[in-house]
Amino acid sequence: MVRSGEEPKPAGRATDGTGPARLRERFLQGEQVDAGVRTSILNSWQRCRSLGLSPDTSDLPYREDFDPGGRIVRAAVPVLDRLQDAFSGSQVNISVADANGTVLLRRFGDPAMARSLPAIQRVPGFVFAEQVAGTNGIGLALAERQLIRVYGAEHFAERSQGSACVAMPVRDPLSGRIEGVLCFGYPRGFEQPALSAAIRRAAENIERRLLGQSSAHERALLRTYLSTGGEGGLHHGVALDALADVVHPRDQAILREKAAELISRGQRAAVEVALPDGRRVTLVSRPMASASGVRGFAIEAVLPGTVVGEALVLPHQAEELPDLAAFSTAPRLARPPITLPSGHLAAASGSTVAPGGDRGSAEAGGTVPADGGRGGDRGPTGIDGTATADGGTVTADGGGGAAEGGRGTTDGGRGATDGGRGTTDDGRGPVGGGGAADDRAGSPFPARGLVMVGEPHVGAYALAARRRLELLSEASARIGTTLDVRRTAEELAETAVPRLADFVTIDLPDAVLRGEESADPLADLRRTVLHGVREGLPFTPPGKRIDFGPTAPQLRCLTRGEAVLEPDLKAAAGWLAQDPEHTARLLDHVHSLIAVPLLARGVVLGIASFYRTGSSFGDDDRSLAQELATRAALSIDNARRYTHERTMVLALQRRLLPHGLPDQDAVEVAHRYLPAESDVGGDWYDVIPLSGARIGLLVGDVVGHGMLSAATMGRLRTAARSFAELDFSPDEVLTHLDNLVGRLDREDPDGKGAGVIGATCLYAVYDPTAQRCLMARAGHPPPALVHPDGTVSYPDLPAGPPLGLGGLPFDAVEIDVPEGSQLVLYTDGLIEDRHRDVDVVLEQLRVALAHPERAPEDTCQAVLDTVAPAHPHDDIALLVARVHALDPGRIAAWELPADPALVGEVRASALRRLSDWGLDETAFAAELILSELITNAVRHGTGPIRVRLLYGRTLICEVSDASNTAPHLRRAASTDEGGRGLFLVAQLSQSWGTRYLPEGKVIWAECGLDAA
């Protein structure tokens, strides 16, 4: 096989130790020769070696029973005669072999060659199939099923080393089957580029002559139909097109399709066809044979609305026809005439409607020529009376001839042509006698329309072609309905079984299943799909690794980048050699194979293998499998790319979400994040430790999906955490986020607001010292509050506008949250679904949460199991927090006026409390911090002054006053008398800060319990 752009390799025995000869010797010695040998030649060498062929063998099998006058021979003889003239005087020999590799014809450019060549190269009957002759033009053309060149040492056998050849398969244009091979052989030095073009033209000419043989059969059948009539013959009533007012063109197409199916069955039958308007038309399939012996069927339509004098008797039971010739002598019953309703076409006296629409005289019992009375052989009748071979059948679209002398009957028999005159089946004499009662002017036409005539096997080809088109159309709708790699592969298999194959296996690399490109597809192939008409066959099961041998068709299809057909697996040496034990078991169940690579946009995605258990695959099947695989590969690649992008977005999303929960005692928290099936959105949650042992709970949702939403979510979550850690109240945090989203929209480079449309958010701050929760929301669903007694409520929070609208305030609401209660925060993906009512879902959520004894982890799982949609179209973020109260015994508080003299008393009381708590090691640092903070409040703030100590995981010292002026840490100069107090606080504490109250502020510092 010479691919586009592939340079021919040197031929013959090279004297310098290079070229095919040297590579062939290395191959025969068992060395690796992947480079320097064309893929098709190397594959053939490997198959020859696996068959045990010897390159020294000179004898070939000879068949005496080959057919010297077969179909391919009759079509090829005139073409070979012209080729012989064209190559006259040259050393080119021309041969034609059948589909088994047996040479049927020989021609020589120089007749003297016939005396100098050995018998195997000049006498027809020798077999050149690859499995017996090794690598050669005829055998390799049959194996590769396309144009092949073989040069010198590329031949496997020693006998052919000094020659070269080019071979081309010849196919039946109707069936697509390979009928034979045309081959040019010549000395090595005679190589000419024009030989490829010459052999292509010659093969096309042979194929046209094969088509002409079929057309001649069809013309003979049509002549028989047109020349036959009367009680013993066929009714050639009006053609279907002539009744345009009765049969709509749309209905005609339906009838022709069914007619082609009836012809392909090769049965005598009558079937009713339902038309879209509710009418039913009966199609009658009648056997017939021409004078030359061509056997076929005529399909007539019995039109609806006909007036019948007697009951119309039709053979509704289909009969198998093992021998069509039997119907030439079978007795037929006479049927009553059928008339059309008034207003339809009527016969004109003394004339006949010819297929072309012309009127010509037809004597009683005479023959109406197929060209409508104009004479000449115009081929099968088409719309204008000319020859067509549409789908392997002949359609009588131009009108059928009506014989005036014959009386229309429903006779189901076949009219035999005898000297051009129709005779009755019982031998009663010629049809069309002038004495019949209905033989007068004004007799109505028979109520029948000719639909189609043709041979059964030709009709089968037309039917198969239509079925292939239907399968491709169905594949467009069935393959690629999802963006899941595995499901798309399953859709390919389900589409192909059973209409193309009995079993389909699809093997994909692990990397493709992950959404990546595979660096070495053969290294990580895994059986992904196994689908067939039944189970239990010894195929490798899904999930297992697949290793194909170097001669396997699956590997060859990847190497060549196109489908590989093995019509008979028992003769497929490369397939048998890869795993003899496994293939031997499989051969008991499968017969034929097509291996197709799944390639899309230059990426190898895997291999699809189509198996049949009975009949063999053909080239049309290979083309169909290739087309199906190509369409599926594009869908698989789309799914792979989507999977890759979704994986990246999901990784970004999860990276931007909290990786762990902070250590704190205020709440016991569990969380879940569930991405949407179709895409990743911008949902997030957060748990933020705040001053005073408080905890912030945050849930938000960015509008939209994809990478942009995930990135925006990360920006908003970071900003929200920063605002929260500044100890802003929930409504203030939402206000700042609202401003941020508005700025992000305005910063959109396109100025169209396509970047961030908006977001929703719910922020709650729980204080374990007071067991109260302050919360606000911006267009977000309200939280659920599970009380310790199991009652579930949805706090009445002002909805607030979504973030990004700007200019509207947010309201915060404070509620009591008893110890042991659960706060449940979630995004709208949990409750909003186009298939469910929100109120119903909220009630389901209420029922799922009414179990206060559950741990937060169990509550999360229960909610997802019972409330979350089975196929979420939006992300779901869920946060469940069980609240705890800080032990009152670990809280100490004092209140004093702004008097410096009282600072020492408070400091002493604090030290005693620290001693009671067993925090003597922390007392020194706490004493200095309290002294500095209280002194600053007395000197710079306004009373009353409150002091509070909170003993939890750390020791928190708080000093509050009624002033809104906050202290600032600064670096004091060496000459400054003050300004070092906050510096000491910062050094002695783990963290410190300011929290503003509705009236005043709180300065706090947090000390580690091991502080010295």
Side-chain angles (χ1 to χ4, degrees):
M1 179 181 64
V2 179
R3 293 193 178 90
S4 176
E6 183 177 3
E7 292 293 329
K9 302 296 187 298
R13 291 183 176 276
T15 58
D16 57 355
T18 62
R22 176 60 179 164
L23 292 172
R24 176 176 169 276
E25 292 172 4
R26 289 174 53 195
F27 174 81
L28 293 176
Q29 293 172 2
E31 299 182 27
Q32 193 77 12
V33 291
D34 291 342
V37 182
R38 289 182 293 148
T39 302
S40 58
I41 300 299
L42 182 58
N43 289 337
S44 180
W45 287 357
Q46 291 172 339
R47 293 194 294 270
C48 293
R49 182 167 60 184
S50 65
L51 289 168
L53 298 181
S54 172
D56 300 324
T57 303
S58 58
D59 295 332
L60 292 178
Y62 179 79
R63 294 183 55 187
E64 296 182 352
D65 59 344
F66 71 93
D67 186 2
R71 186 165 178 251
I72 182 69
V73 173
R74 297 196 307 271
V77 165
V79 178
L80 263 62
D81 290 342
R82 291 194 295 270
L83 287 173
Q84 186 175 21
D85 293 340
F87 291 114
S88 178
S90 70
Q91 296 297 304
V92 176
N93 68 84
I94 309 159
S95 58
V96 170
D98 63 14
N100 297 316
T102 304
V103 175
L104 306 177
L105 291 173
R106 289 282 193 185
R107 293 286 191 275
F108 303 96
D110 184 357
M113 295 176 61
R115 297 188 295 272
S116 60
L117 292 176
I120 61 173
Q121 296 185 18
R122 60 183 172 83
V123 178
F126 285 96
V127 181
F128 281 83
E130 185 187 61
Q131 55 265 34
V132 294
T135 306
N136 69 91
I138 293 175
L140 195 52
L142 288 173
E144 298 287 337
R145 310 179 74 84
Q146 55 189 321
L147 177 67
I148 285 294
R149 285 178 176 271
V150 183
Y151 306 90
E154 291 181 335
H155 289 87
F156 189 77
E158 296 283 355
R159 63 177 177 270
S160 303
Q161 298 292 296
S163 62
C165 61
V166 57
M168 177 81 178
V170 177
R171 290 179 170 84
D172 185 330
L174 292 178
S175 68
R177 291 198 305 255
I178 292 179
E179 293 288 330
V181 177
L182 177 63
C183 181
F184 295 168
Y186 45 88
R188 232 176 22 227
F190 185 78
E191 175 63 31
Q192 294 182 6
L195 288 176
S196 294
I199 199 170
R200 287 183 187 276
R201 288 195 300 270
E204 290 172 358
N205 288 334
I206 297 175
E207 290 174 352
R208 277 196 294 269
R209 291 184 60 82
L210 289 173
L211 180 62
Q213 292 178 13
S214 299
S215 300
H217 292 177
E218 294 154 4
R219 289 195 297 271
L221 288 174
L222 184 61
R223 291 192 190 97
T224 299
Y225 179 85
L226 295 174
S227 63
T228 311
E231 294 183 5
L234 294 166
H235 279 290
H236 43 84
V238 294
L240 212 55
D241 272 2
L243 299 175
D245 58 334
V246 177
V247 184
H248 190 274
R250 173 201 59 199
D251 300 334
Q252 295 178 28
I254 296 174
L255 295 177
R256 291 191 188 102
E257 180 178 348
K258 188 63 177 180
E261 184 177 344
L262 287 175
I263 291 176
S264 69
R265 292 178 182 176
Q267 298 175 346
R268 179 185 181 190
V271 297
E272 283 190 345
V273 180
L275 299 178
D277 59 5
R279 292 186 300 167
R280 306 184 73 86
V281 173
T282 301
L283 291 182
V284 181
S285 172
R286 301 180 182 278
M288 57 187 296
S290 69
S292 59
V294 179
R295 298 171 180 173
F297 280 79
I299 308 298
E300 294 177 312
V302 179
L303 304 177
T306 58
V307 178
V308 184
E310 299 178 32
L312 180 62
V313 181
L314 291 173
H316 286 279
Q317 296 294 330
E319 301 177 33
E320 295 290 342
L321 300 178
D323 184 7
L324 299 182
F327 281 87
S328 61
T329 59
R332 301 290 185 263
L333 297 175
R335 309 291 189 226
I338 307 173
T339 59
L340 290 175
S342 59
H344 288 188
L345 298 177
S349 177
S351 65
T352 301
V353 179
D358 295 342
R359 294 184 179 273
S361 176
E363 296 181 2
T367 299
V368 181
D371 59 357
R374 290 185 290 272
D377 185 0
R378 299 180 182 271
T381 302
I383 293 176
D384 57 354
T386 59
T388 64
D390 183 15
T393 57
V394 180
T395 60
D397 294 340
E404 292 181 42
R407 189 162 60 99
T409 75
T410 61
D411 187 88
R414 177 175 57 86
T417 57
D418 184 8
R421 298 176 60 87
T423 63
T424 60
D425 288 342
D426 56 4
R428 288 180 294 174
V431 178
D438 292 336
D439 239 355
R440 59 184 183 273
S443 287
F445 270 71
R448 298 179 184 274
L450 175 63
V451 181
M452 192 175 289
V453 296
E455 297 177 273
H457 70 279
V458 177
Y461 301 149
L463 185 63
R466 185 167 65 251
R467 293 291 184 261
R468 287 192 289 269
L469 289 176
E470 292 173 352
L471 182 58
L472 287 176
S473 177
E474 180 181 339
S476 300
R478 291 188 61 180
I479 300 177
T481 59
T482 69
L483 287 172
D484 180 81
V485 173
R486 193 181 305 274
R487 180 56 194 151
T488 304
E490 292 173 352
E491 290 170 343
L492 168 60
E494 292 168 359
T495 302
V497 175
R499 297 171 64 179
L500 173 62
D502 296 316
F503 297 91
V504 175
T505 64
I506 299 178
D507 308 313
L508 304 179
D510 285 335
V512 172
L513 294 172
R514 295 192 303 268
E516 304 169 4
E517 292 186 15
S518 178
D520 185 4
L522 292 178
D524 62 345
L525 273 180
R526 190 173 299 277
R527 177 61 45 84
T528 306
V529 175
L530 170 59
H531 184 69
V533 294
R534 64 179 184 273
E535 299 179 354
L537 268 66
F539 286 104
T540 302
K544 297 292 185 180
R545 293 292 298 271
I546 299 293
D547 294 316
F548 292 113
T551 61
Q554 287 84 354
L555 181 60
R556 286 159 47 205
C557 82
L558 278 185
T559 304
R560 292 165 49 178
E562 57 187 21
V564 171
L565 168 62
E566 292 290 356
D568 185 1
L569 287 176
K570 293 182 179 179
W575 186 76
L576 294 171
Q578 63 168 335
D579 187 354
E581 182 179 353
H582 175 71
T583 53
R585 297 196 308 270
L586 205 54
L587 272 178
D588 295 335
H589 305 280
V590 296
H591 172 71
S592 189
L593 164 69
I594 300 175
V596 190
L598 297 173
L599 303 172
R601 304 179 181 97
V603 178
V604 177
L605 302 172
I607 301 171
S609 301
F610 302 83
Y611 294 88
R612 273 187 184 170
T613 60
S615 61
S616 298
F617 285 116
D619 285 294
D620 287 341
D621 299 314
R622 179 178 64 173
S623 300
L624 178 58
Q626 180 79 64
E627 180 66 21
L628 287 176
T630 299
R631 298 188 182 195
L634 288 174
S635 297
I636 291 175
D637 191 49
N638 290 338
R640 180 193 65 82
R641 289 168 176 259
Y642 167 77
T643 301
H644 179 65
E645 294 178 3
R646 186 175 187 272
T647 301
M648 289 193 302
V649 175
L650 189 57
L652 173 63
Q653 169 87 334
R654 294 193 181 279
R655 193 67 186 168
L656 295 174
L657 290 174
H659 292 170
L661 296 177
D663 294 332
Q664 44 80 36
D665 295 323
V667 292
E668 178 187 353
V669 179
H671 56 84
R672 293 288 189 276
Y673 171 73
L674 186 65
E677 282 192 349
S678 59
D679 207 347
V680 178
D683 292 13
W684 88 91
Y685 60 89
D686 209 345
V687 179
I688 308 169
L690 300 175
S691 63
R694 298 171 306 140
I695 198 75
L697 304 175
L698 189 67
V699 171
D701 181 7
V702 175
V703 176
H705 297 85
M707 184 75 75
L708 179 61
S709 295
T712 304
M713 177 274 292
R715 299 173 72 177
L716 291 184
R717 175 179 171 257
T718 301
R721 189 177 185 92
S722 299
F723 296 145
E725 288 179 344
L726 290 175
D727 273 323
F728 290 144
S729 64
D731 54 321
E732 291 179 299
V733 169
L734 296 182
T735 299
H736 288 297
L737 288 177
D738 182 52
N739 294 333
L740 174 62
V741 173
R743 287 196 300 272
L744 293 177
D745 272 335
R746 291 192 295 271
E747 291 171 3
D748 177 29
D750 296 332
K752 299 178 181 178
V756 180
I757 300 175
T760 65
C761 185
L762 170 63
Y763 181 38
V765 177
Y766 172 68
D767 186 351
T769 63
Q771 301 179 42
R772 295 181 65 81
C773 184
L774 183 66
M775 59 184 70
R777 61 184 179 126
H780 201 85
L785 176 60
V786 184
H787 296 271
D789 61 358
T791 59
V792 180
S793 63
Y794 297 99
D796 186 13
L797 299 182
L803 300 177
L805 296 183
L808 297 175
F810 299 95
D811 297 322
V813 174
E814 190 171 29
I815 61 174
D816 291 324
V817 183
E819 183 178 9
S821 301
Q822 289 186 357
L823 275 172
V824 181
L825 286 67
Y826 50 89
T827 56
D828 57 3
L830 178 67
I831 62 172
E832 293 183 6
D833 184 68
R834 58 175 174 263
H835 303 296
R836 303 185 299 173
D837 183 81
V838 173
D839 293 334
V840 174
V841 178
L842 288 176
E843 185 59 32
Q844 292 176 347
L845 179 60
R846 186 193 304 273
V847 174
L849 294 176
H851 297 277
E853 73 282 357
R854 286 181 181 151
E857 284 288 343
D858 297 335
T859 301
C860 280
Q861 194 59 48
V863 169
L864 292 184
D865 291 342
T866 59
V867 180
H871 302 282
H873 297 282
D874 195 6
D875 292 17
I876 297 174
L878 178 63
L879 191 66
V880 178
R882 171 175 286 166
V883 302
H884 300 291
L886 186 60
D887 185 358
R890 294 196 171 199
I891 302 174
W894 299 269
E895 184 173 334
L896 67 156
D899 184 357
L902 299 177
V903 174
E905 295 180 10
V906 174
R907 186 170 60 227
S909 298
L911 289 176
R912 288 192 297 271
R913 183 56 62 90
L914 291 177
S915 178
D916 294 340
W917 288 342
L919 301 178
D920 295 330
E921 294 182 359
T922 311
F924 176 75
E927 181 182 9
L928 290 179
I929 290 172
L930 285 174
S931 295
E932 180 61 32
L933 295 181
I934 296 173
T935 301
N936 281 343
V938 171
R939 298 176 67 180
H940 304 291
T942 58
I945 297 172
R946 296 179 177 85
V947 179
R948 188 168 70 160
L949 295 180
L950 303 177
Y951 173 29
R953 291 177 178 268
T954 60
L955 179 64
I956 301 173
C957 304
E958 294 182 347
V959 177
S960 62
D961 64 80
S963 172
N964 289 325
T965 303
H968 298 282
L969 179 66
R970 63 186 180 88
R971 185 180 297 277
S974 58
T975 57
D976 291 341
E977 295 183 0
R980 297 176 177 85
L982 284 182
F983 180 77
L984 290 174
V985 171
Q987 295 299 312
L988 293 172
S989 63
Q990 292 181 349
S991 60
W992 74 279
T994 302
R995 179 170 76 250
Y996 289 94
L997 303 173
E999 295 181 358
K1001 64 180 182 299
V1002 176
I1003 309 298
W1004 58 269
E1006 186 173 337
C1007 298
L1009 297 183
D1010 58 349

